[in-house]
Every structure is written in structure tokens, then in C-alpha cells.
Amino acid sequence: MPSRSAVVAAIGVAVGTVWASVPTVAFADSGTLYVNNAASANCSDSAADAGTRAQPYCSVQAAVNAAQPGDTVQVADGAYGPVDVKTSGTPSAPLTITGGGVISNFIPRIFVPNGSSGPSLTFDHVHNVVVSGFDIGETGAPTAVAVTGSSDVTLNGSRTGGSSQLSRPPAMVAVDGQSSRFTLSRSMVWADRSQTAVSLASGASGTVLTTNEFNYDGYTGQPAVSAVDAPGTVVVSNSFLSGGCNTAISLTGSSTGSTLENNAVELGTTNEGCFYGTGIPVVIGPAAVSGAKDDYNTVETASTGALYSWAGQSYTSLSAFQAATGQGAHDSSLRFTPGTTTRDQIQTPLIDSADTNAPDEFGTDLLGRDRVDDPVIPNTGTGVGYYDRGAAEYQDPYNLTATLSAAKLPTGATETVGVKASNPWNTQVTSYAFDFGDGSAPVVSTSPTASHVYTTTGGHNVTVTATMASGATHSGGAPLQVAAPAQLIPALTLSRQSGMTVLANAGNTTDAWNLANTTVNFGDGTIPVSFGPGTFTNHTYAKPGTYTATLTVVDADGQSAMVTQTISVGSALFPIGPVRSLDTRYGTGAPKAKVGPRGVVRLKVAGVNGVPATGITAVTLNLTALNATDSTWIAAYPDAAPVPTASNLNLTPGQVTPNLVTVPVSADGYIDLYNFTGSVDLVADVEDYYSTAIAAGAHGGFLATQAPARALDTRYGTGTLKGKVGPGGRVTFSVPTGSVFAASAVVLNVTETDATASSYIAVDQYGGQPTSSVLNFSAGQTSSNQVVVPLAPGTGSVTLYNNAGSTDLVADVQGLVTDEVAAQNGQGAPYFPVAPTRIVDTRTGLGAPKAPLGAKSHLVVKVAGVNGIPAGVNAVLVNLTGINPTAATYVSAYADGGTLPISSNLNQAAGTFRAVLALVPVGTDGSIDLYNNVGSTNIAADIEGYYTN
């Protein structure tokens, strides 16, 4: 069967809906009183001519009070206070109060303001009154409609419900026991939580509920319609819709002589099914079955409980109900599974199956639409046989969409407009009208296509209207952009997303035509990706590298063009520590023993201590050597690789020497630490890792380098109060992020000076006694170390801890780690680890003259384009080693062509060896500068990795 949309979905209409009106009642000598409270309406409730078009009433209540039998109160769109109707009409001259309808196309509101009490609309001991076309009780009404001591009154074409009060009334429409022949028709009623939609009190008689939609929650088990001792109740052609599975219709007590026909009950249709409620859909009590009739109803539910309760007996199947009661001969039922049962299966039993002879059955539906014959569904109803059950009549599902040969084109080009239609009923189309949206006359044709030449630029909405043999019309549109003639100029933007994934965006391509096809060759040997007329796609590279992608675009006119773009994809940085991973003094991460001459410690780093098991390319750790028995050096390198000639630590006996080390990780997740001679203890604290994959819950990104910026100096009160940090003391300072959109961590060069005792500095992330250090030093020593520190959430600050004595601390920002959002916005550069490679040694003349670097001297070192490092790199990680300076000095590393910073990277005393890791921006010429301040010193520089976009 052809797919059909939900019948009930077609009637979920908001304010402003065109509602059907009750049939016009002819009467003589009637007048019209107008109500309009708009600011421009010149309204008055007291003027002599109040109620005229020229000077309408301001309030509905004033007009109703002034009305006489046979009058019509015509209410304009707007929001009005509650109405208490106390004026009656006569059978031949009813009082009519009307708001929106099929002509006026609006629906004014009648409501009780929040904090007030009383119904929004009251029929107050009146008769022969018709109210039509209002939105009632939407704001603060405790009850939407109250029918009190009234007869022959009608509420039609309205919406009731939506109470915003926490204490909700028991019913949205309440009919008391002194009322008779109340009619609710073609209306929508919302009942929330503990509410009943319509409540008929004991004694109410002859109530008619026809062609309404009831939406109810029933959390507390309340039915949508509840009648107690209400004889002659007629419930015909209503739709009962609930996300839960509570009772739809309950007629109890002496509600005799009642009729239930042509109703559609749908319970538990949400994805959650019967997430509340276990009520029986239809309940007719023992005293109410006398003279009662149930037929042509459809009950569809996600519940497995009973479908009917008749005279106190429950029935779980329709056949059992029919056999035992003789009722429901033409009823249908469906047990469905939410998410599995289709809307077609739910709606089909309702179509062309109603009893046209049911009492108070209308010839049109909730929205005033004609009854139509669905040619796909057999007619099983009475009379003409094709009335639908429920409040909505399923209409011709013909659907029209306008198609364009080009969604964008230049002036002077020809556009061909076509029709894409869904026509499951095979309805005959007699003509098509094409409105090209540029002010030209529409073209009417029997052909479903038409061509047009546009001469003006701008946006145009193209509309096609199909006229059916019945005279009905269906329209569909499509937007069109007409541009001035322009050349096809392709544009490709590549941006990293996460891990090795990049976004290729061709959206900035310019052309007077829309694109017909877009193809990107990502330059890694994979098959080029064609993504049709779209402008972007994602691609994941298999391995790090620098790739040149090629974009090829073809427009709707057949023109093609290409452009290339280069991007580097590599590792993102994720700070996690510091976390102690190795301490040979205590057997942490390795046997409890010093590392002997030519000894190697094999340290597992991937999959332990917060480092993911896969995707790891390198780790950064603070490596400290202590208790050395001889002058020696330590090298860190990937497991199973040859021992490099470059060292990471140089130390003498008894010296405690730390250094930050970034080490490539082997495929099996290990790194090796090598000791040259003598015996030494090694301690390693992992501070971060580099990965080509994004682990779940990980927070990190790419590195944005910058010229060193001082964030802390306790000697001068920079970033904090002036004064040394004492024993067990902490200092917290903010980190300037500059132009970085959002940073997750910072790369700092931390320097201590003028210490009164041997101590260590730690990053204090959580308070308490830190267990891992980033800098170890002796009294009177000036030393520095690089550290990667996560920024405190919300404050962007860093806290450093000093263990013993007092010392001044200096912190210089060398770079910022972006968060994932900033990384996806193109900020930062990925990291590419390399095997440690020595590029400078002034002792041997490697990469520089064979001579110590003198006082106030600069050494320019070429790094880009040499030793396997590509041109155009942003920054390099360099392990700088100062060798036997003639005086206490410092060395600064910075981008060639830049200004000598106030910060230092390497601080050491005369006659010592000292190594430190430095993050150094690269100048536009591909070089970095090394500056020595005092005396002369030999310098060795080892590249550990680089950053590049």
C-alpha cells in the first residue's frame, strides 16, 4: 500500500489555524456587536456607539452583556479576559459569540491571568448560545470551560487546555448536573497530568461530543471523557490520543442510553509506549449499559491489558467482547509495538469505515474538510461508505515539490522548472501554474515542466501549483539564486578535526552557477572522494605527514577547475600529570636497583597511568637522575631503537638533575632509558602524551607557540605578590592565552632562584602533598625546567608548590595547548616526534663554529629543511645542553629575527653540565637563535620533534 502520512498529525494545529464553523443558523432581526482591543482599534466599553466597527468593545464580556437574542458578537484577534455568558438566545434566534473561522483565519484567546481564579469561559444558566473559534484557558485558567445550569449551548471550533498552574483543575471542560444538551464539536482539548478533558457530573443529560480531538496525559489514571449518571451521552467521531495507556471513555453510574460510534482511540504511540497508565480504553459501567450502543470504534494500544470493560466485566480481545455483549460488531482493534508498527498500520483501520448514520455525525471533519473516498482502501462504512473514523478525514495525499535544473545560475541563463510529485491516489492533474518568483507572469501549462530566462539577480522563490480535476490545488516551491556572471574559482580549506581527521571545505568556491560535483584527492594514495554538489567532507589519514590535497569542482554549466591545499596531520597533545611512572629507588615501574653502566631501563608507558594503550606516538616526562656514582649522561629513546648520540641529562656524582624529555614510543608501548657510565637512580613523571587518536574523555589539542611571555616572577610581584615561596607554600597565577581561542594546558619554562634549601617544585592540581616534581634543585642554585600543565577549569590558572626552604619562582609561557574546539577552528599545530638528532655541538663544530659561545653572543641555527625536518615548521622541541661555562650564565632560545626575550631556558653555574628541554618558535627563515649571557660556554642542541601546520 502506498505510504500515507498520519491522519491525526494533520489536525495538530497551533494558534492561527483556520477552524471550521458550525452551520449558519438563520434568524431575523439580528445585529452584530464587534470586539477589538488592538491599540489602533479605538475601542470602548462605555461609549454610546460601543460595539460598532468604528468603535468596537474592548472586552468580550462587555459585548456579551449588551447582546440580545439573535445577536452575533464578533471578536477580533487578540488576548481577552474571562467571559461569563449570562444572556440567552432562543431556538430561532440564538446568541452567537464567534472568534476565528474559515473566513477570518485567526483565533483570539480567552484566558484567566495567572494568580486569578474561575473558569475562562462560563455558560452561566443560559440556553441557545453558540461559542465558536476561540483559544480558551491557555494561560492561567484553573478550568477552561464551565457549563453551569445551562441547556442547548454549543462550543465549536475551539481549543481548550494548556493550564500553566501547578495545581491543575480536575477537568478542562466541566458540565454540571443541572445542564442538558451541551454540545462540544470540532474542538481540541488538552488535559494534563491529573486532569480529565471533559467531565459530565451526575444529572447532566443529552451531552454531545462530536468530531473533537482529545490529547490527555492521565498520569494519575484520569480518563479523557468521564460521565457519571449522565444519560443520553453521545460520543461520536472523536480522536483520543495519549502517550500513556489510560482510559479514553468512561461512562458509569446511570449514564444510560449512551452512544459510542466512529471514535479512534490511540494509546501509547510514543517511542516509550505505555510509559504510564494501565487503564482500560473503553469503560461502560454496570448501570450504564442499559440502552448503550458501541459500534464502529477503533481501539489501538501498546498495552497488553483489557480493551473494554462492559457491565463490570473486562475483555482482553475484541472477539470476546463482541461474543459476550453483542456490541462492537464493526469495531476494530490493534495491539502495536512503538517504533515497529508504522503509522500506515495504525491509520488504515480508520479510513473509509465509519457509520454515516451515527447521531451528530458531520459531513465535514475537524477542520471543515469534505469527506473524501480513499481509492486505495475498500469502503466498509455505511451510506456512501467512505467516512473516516475519528476527528480527521484523511485527504488526498498528493504532494508536490518543485525541481530546478540549477539552484544557482547567472542572469541570461535558462532555468527549467519541473515537478516531483507523490500521487498514490493517481489523482488527475488538469494543469500546472509556474510562478518564477521574479515578477513575471505565471505560466500555465498541462506539461509538468516550464523554462524561463532570468534577467535580474537576487533570490527568487519558484512555485508550482497543480490543479486537480476536482478543482483542488496543491503547491510546492524551491529557492533559486540568480547571480551576475562570474568565473568559476575553486577554493579549498583543510582543517583538522580530531586525531588524523580533516575537514575539506569547498564552500568558498565562487561561481555564477551552483556546483554539480565536488571531488577531493587527499594526496595519500586513497581513492578520490566525490561528494556531489555538496561543499564539504571528512577524511581520516592513515599515518602522520604533510599531504597536498587537490579539489576538482564542476558546475552546472559543465565548467571545471582545480586547486590544491597542503595540510599536516600528526599528534595532538594531552596533558595528564604529572604521574610518577618510574622510581628505581623504590621499584616503581622497574626493578628496585640503580641503573648500571651501559644499563637500560625498559619502561612501559602506553596503557598505564592514564595513557591510552593505542595511538600513542610520544610521551613527555620529567626525568630526574640522582645518586650518580660517576659523571654520566642519560638518553631516552623508543624501545628497541639504537642508543642515540644525543643525551637528555648530563650530571656529576651527587648531583640531582631534572629535565623534561619528549620521547617517541615504540609500537609495543615502551621507551628505553640508557645510562652511560657508573650507577644512577632514575625517576620519571609522565606529564602528557601525544596521540593520533582522540581517547574518550580526553582533553587536549594542538600546540600554539608564541614568543616567551612572563606570567610569574615572585622577585618583582609579577602575577602574584612579591616575595619568596616558603616551605610547603603555593603560588597561583593566571596564564595569558593571547589569541588562542580556548586553551586546555600551557607549556611553561619554570625557573627557581636564590633557594635557601634543597627542595623541589611540583604542580599542585588537587591540593595536599604533591607526589611528583617538575624541578629539583639545591640551595643557592638557579635552575629551570620545562613543564606542561593543565589549566584549572574556569580560571585558566596554574598553582606551583615548593617543598622546603624558600625560593623565588619565575614562569614563562612558551606555548598553549588548544582545546578540541580551538583545534577544529584551525588553531595550533600537530606534533611530529623524531629520533633524537644532534644539530649543534660547538665542541666539534657541528652546525656551528668550533668555539664556545661568548658573552652577549648569538648563534643562528638552521632547523627547517635540514636533518629531515620539513620547511615551514612552526616550532621545534630542542634539548639544550650547556657544557662547562666559564661563569654562571643563562641561555635563551627564540625565533630568529625575533626580539631577545627576558626569559631564559637554560640556567647553570660555572663548570657544570646542564640540559633542559626548550620549545622554540622557528623564524620565517627556518632558523632559531641561541643567546649566551655571561662568560663563554659550549652548547649542544638535540632536536626531539617539531610542530607544523
Side-chain angles (χ1 to χ4, degrees):
M1 187 181 75
S3 173
R4 61 186 68 245
S5 61
V7 173
V8 177
I11 64 176
V13 187
V15 174
T17 300
V18 179
W19 293 95
S21 298
V22 291
T24 301
V25 179
F27 53 88
D29 301 324
S30 64
T32 300
L33 304 178
Y34 295 94
V35 180
N36 188 344
N37 65 2
S40 59
N42 188 38
C43 69
S44 173
D45 285 344
S46 59
D49 59 346
T52 62
R53 285 184 182 273
Q55 190 162 62
Y57 283 105
C58 297
S59 68
V60 180
Q61 187 65 63
V64 170
N65 292 344
Q68 299 297 316
D71 283 349
T72 296
V73 175
Q74 181 69 59
V75 183
D77 192 14
Y80 300 89
V83 176
D84 187 350
V85 182
K86 296 184 178 182
T87 303
S88 296
T90 68
S92 60
L95 172 63
T96 302
I97 305 167
T98 183
V102 290
I103 297 175
S104 53
N105 194 29
F106 61 79
I107 183 164
R109 290 181 295 137
I110 296 175
F111 67 95
V112 174
N114 281 323
S116 300
S117 60
S120 294
L121 172 64
T122 303
F123 292 96
D124 194 350
H125 296 83
V126 293
H127 55 81
N128 300 108
V129 177
V130 177
V131 175
S132 181
F134 288 92
D135 185 4
I136 305 171
E138 184 180 61
T139 302
T143 298
V145 179
V147 182
T148 305
S150 297
S151 62
D152 297 298
V153 295
T154 296
L155 176 62
N156 174 75
S158 295
R159 184 175 81 169
T160 62
S163 173
S164 63
Q165 294 192 353
L166 295 178
S167 178
R168 292 172 171 83
M172 289 311 299
V173 178
V175 182
D176 75 355
Q178 287 72 50
S179 295
S180 61
R181 297 182 301 282
F182 166 69
T183 297
L184 177 68
S185 58
R186 290 196 180 99
S187 294
M188 301 179 73
V189 181
W190 277 267
D192 191 16
R193 299 184 185 275
S194 61
Q195 294 173 316
T196 293
V198 177
S199 174
L200 308 181
S202 177
S205 63
T207 302
V208 176
L209 307 178
T210 179
T211 322
N212 303 292
E213 179 184 303
F214 298 105
N215 292 271
Y216 67 107
D217 284 340
Y219 276 102
T220 58
Q222 297 300 316
V225 171
S226 175
V228 180
D229 299 321
T233 300
V234 175
V235 184
V236 168
S237 288
N238 300 286
S239 294
F240 294 87
L241 310 176
S242 177
C245 290
N246 278 320
T247 301
I249 306 166
S250 174
L251 305 181
T252 60
S254 299
S255 299
T256 58
S258 298
T259 300
L260 278 67
E261 282 204 67
N262 297 343
N263 297 292
V265 178
E266 294 184 16
L267 307 180
T269 55
T270 64
N271 290 334
E272 296 88 350
C274 296
F275 66 94
Y276 62 83
T278 57
I280 301 173
V282 178
V283 176
I284 309 297
V289 298
S290 176
K293 179 182 179 181
D294 175 290
D295 207 1
Y296 292 93
N297 300 297
T298 296
V299 178
E300 299 172 318
T301 179
S303 171
T304 59
L307 298 175
Y308 299 86
S309 175
W310 186 270
Q313 178 65 45
S314 298
Y315 299 94
T316 58
S317 71
L318 174 59
S319 59
F321 170 69
Q322 292 168 330
T325 67
Q327 297 284 334
H330 302 92
D331 280 9
S332 66
S333 66
L334 174 67
R335 306 276 192 182
F336 62 85
T337 302
T340 300
T341 306
T342 66
R343 291 300 302 179
D344 282 353
Q345 292 171 304
I346 291 176
Q347 295 300 320
T348 297
L350 309 181
I351 298 173
D352 294 355
S353 62
D355 177 16
T356 61
N357 299 314
D360 298 287
E361 175 71 20
F362 290 161
T364 54
D365 75 351
L366 174 71
L367 299 181
R369 299 176 300 189
D370 290 335
R371 303 291 183 174
V372 293
D373 186 6
D374 184 340
V376 181
I377 304 295
N379 294 339
T380 59
T382 65
V384 294
Y386 56 76
Y387 278 31
D388 293 349
R389 303 183 188 189
E393 181 76 11
Y394 184 70
Q395 301 295 302
D396 185 351
Y398 182 92
N399 181 264
L400 168 66
T401 302
T403 63
L404 304 176
S405 58
K408 179 183 178 184
L409 76 170
T411 55
T414 299
E415 176 70 72
T416 300
V417 182
V419 172
K420 181 180 180 182
S422 171
N423 190 7
W425 287 9
N426 295 317
T427 307
Q428 180 184 356
V429 180
T430 58
S431 65
Y432 298 93
F434 297 86
D435 186 340
F436 299 103
D438 61 348
S440 60
V443 173
V444 179
S445 172
T446 57
S447 171
T449 61
S451 296
H452 183 68
V453 176
Y454 284 89
T455 59
T456 57
T457 62
H460 305 292
N461 187 45
V462 180
T463 305
V464 182
T465 300
T467 300
M468 327 308 285
S470 64
T473 59
H474 299 270
S475 297
L480 171 68
Q481 184 68 33
V482 181
Q487 180 183 358
L488 172 60
I489 302 176
L492 175 63
T493 301
L494 299 175
S495 57
R496 287 177 295 273
Q497 298 300 288
S498 61
M500 303 288 286
T501 300
V502 300
L503 173 69
N505 191 340
N508 289 326
T509 296
T510 60
D511 192 17
W513 295 86
N514 64 295
L515 297 181
N517 188 58
T518 308
T519 302
V520 177
N521 183 332
F522 286 95
D524 58 351
T526 59
I527 298 174
V529 178
S530 176
F531 42 104
T535 57
F536 60 89
T537 188
N538 284 322
H539 179 73
T540 300
Y541 286 95
K543 60 182 181 179
T546 299
Y547 300 92
T548 298
T550 302
L551 167 71
T552 302
V553 291
V554 180
D555 67 16
D557 195 39
Q559 304 175 86
S560 64
M562 294 191 306
V563 70
T564 61
Q565 181 68 40
T566 300
I567 192 170
S568 295
V569 290
S571 304
L573 188 158
F574 299 90
I576 60 170
V579 179
R580 181 138 298 174
S581 300
L582 173 69
D583 194 330
T584 60
R585 299 171 299 176
Y586 306 110
T588 302
K592 182 181 178 181
K594 286 185 176 182
V595 185
R598 307 298 193 272
V600 175
V601 173
R602 187 168 180 261
L603 179 62
K604 176 73 169 178
V605 290
V608 296
N609 295 313
V611 179
T614 58
I616 306 305
T617 58
V619 293
T620 298
L621 46 88
N622 190 54
L623 181 62
T624 303
L626 64 166
N627 302 325
T629 61
D630 200 353
S631 295
T632 187
W633 53 268
I634 309 297
Y637 53 98
D639 181 49
V643 177
T645 58
S647 62
N648 297 95
L649 287 179
N650 298 78
L651 67 157
T652 57
Q655 184 180 3
V656 177
T657 304
N659 192 17
L660 198 68
V661 178
T662 299
V663 193
V665 178
S666 64
D668 59 357
Y670 285 83
I671 63 171
D672 290 350
L673 301 174
Y674 170 85
N675 173 45
F676 175 64
T677 188
S679 297
V680 66
D681 277 312
L682 295 178
V683 177
D685 300 313
V686 174
E687 292 192 0
D688 55 73
Y689 64 87
Y690 290 89
S691 175
T692 57
I694 303 297
H699 298 283
F702 300 119
L703 188 72
T705 55
Q706 62 178 50
R710 183 144 295 176
L712 172 70
D713 193 332
T714 61
R715 298 171 300 177
Y716 307 109
T718 302
T720 187
L721 296 175
K722 181 179 179 181
K724 290 183 176 182
V725 182
R730 291 167 172 82
V731 58
T732 299
F733 57 96
S734 297
V735 173
T737 57
S739 61
V740 175
F741 174 73
S744 62
V746 61
V747 181
L748 295 173
N749 191 67
V750 178
T751 302
E752 64 74 28
T753 186
D754 198 21
T756 61
S758 296
S759 182
Y760 66 83
I761 303 300
V763 174
D764 180 22
Q765 292 178 288
Y766 310 109
Q769 178 72 30
T771 58
S772 300
S773 62
V774 296
L775 180 60
N776 298 76
F777 52 91
S778 302
Q781 179 184 2
T782 297
S783 59
S784 60
N785 201 15
Q786 185 173 290
V787 59
V788 181
V789 187
L791 294 174
T795 64
S797 62
V798 171
T799 299
L800 299 178
Y801 166 87
N802 174 45
N803 184 56
S806 298
T807 186
D808 279 309
L809 291 177
V810 179
D812 298 305
V813 177
Q814 294 186 310
L816 292 157
V817 181
T818 65
D819 69 0
E820 294 180 39
V821 174
Q824 292 174 13
N825 281 310
Q827 290 197 303
Y831 178 67
F832 296 85
V834 298
T837 304
R838 181 148 292 178
I839 59 171
V840 169
D841 194 333
T842 58
R843 297 170 301 177
T844 63
L846 174 65
K850 185 180 179 180
L853 184 61
K856 312 298 183 186
S857 296
H858 297 259
L859 176 63
V860 178
V861 181
K862 183 75 170 178
V863 292
V866 296
N867 296 302
I869 300 174
V873 296
N874 297 61
V876 289
L877 272 183
V878 182
N879 193 63
L880 296 175
T881 304
I883 305 165
N884 198 24
T886 60
T889 187
Y890 67 83
V891 175
S892 295
Y894 56 100
D896 185 48
T899 302
L900 176 66
I902 61 172
S903 62
S904 60
N905 299 93
L906 176 64
N907 295 269
Q908 65 185 126
T912 60
F913 283 71
R914 181 75 171 92
V916 68
L917 187 66
L919 171 63
V920 189
V922 177
T924 56
D925 61 351
S927 300
I928 63 173
D929 285 1
L930 303 178
Y931 168 84
N932 174 48
N933 186 48
V934 177
S936 61
T937 184
N938 280 303
I939 295 178
D942 305 312
I943 294 288
E944 294 190 359
Y946 61 89
Y947 299 86
T948 182
N949 283 320

